[in-house]
Amino acid sequence: MFVFLALTVLPYVVHRRERGESVTDERLDVIVLNGTRRSRLAYSVSQYLRNKGIDVLYYGNADTLYAQTLIIDRKDSVSLSNAKKVARYVKGKLMYVPDTDNLASVYVILGKDYR
């Protein structure tokens, strides 16, 4: 799944960096993916998170359907501090997956349980 995401999201993030926009560790960079059949869910959640001051780099559809919402910390394996910041606004299962693509601090995959 993450190989597909890297190929999909990487051109967008590189474009942002070329334009001089912030994609640094100083901000919380998030990618939001819709793992449900609900139309425009990732867009709605992205707008909500942006209104809360979180930098959403990309939103789109996940490559498969998910029953449970996942908040995946890609940087902090010990305390999941980045995922916990997002979890203030989006409820889901917190987990760590090592960052091999250096795209975002947190991935949010919205599942069927998202309310």
Side-chain angles (χ1 to χ4, degrees), residues 12-68:
Y12 176 76
V13 175
V14 169
H15 178 69
R16 284 179 54 115
R17 286 184 178 154
E18 288 172 352
R19 290 188 353 216
E21 294 181 30
S22 173
V23 185
T24 67
D25 291 337
E26 297 170 6
R27 293 187 59 124
L28 185 58
D29 300 326
V30 177
I31 292 173
V32 179
L33 300 173
N34 183 0
T36 74
R37 289 193 166 100
R38 291 169 38 194
S39 179
R40 299 178 53 85
L41 183 61
Y43 171 78
S44 299
V45 172
S46 295
Q47 293 302 327
Y48 172 72
L49 291 173
R50 285 176 176 151
N51 287 336
K52 298 296 181 184
I54 295 175
D55 187 18
V56 177
L57 298 177
Y58 174 84
Y59 64 89
N61 292 322
D63 57 350
T64 188
L65 298 177
Y66 287 79
Q68 186 175 24

Side-chain angles (χ1 to χ4, degrees), residues 68-85:
Q68 186 175 24
T69 298
L70 304 175
I71 304 171
I72 304 168
D73 199 313
R74 304 296 308 276
K75 306 284 184 189
D76 185 357
S77 64
V78 178
S79 67
L80 302 175
S81 62
N82 296 314
K84 287 178 181 176
K85 291 174 188 174

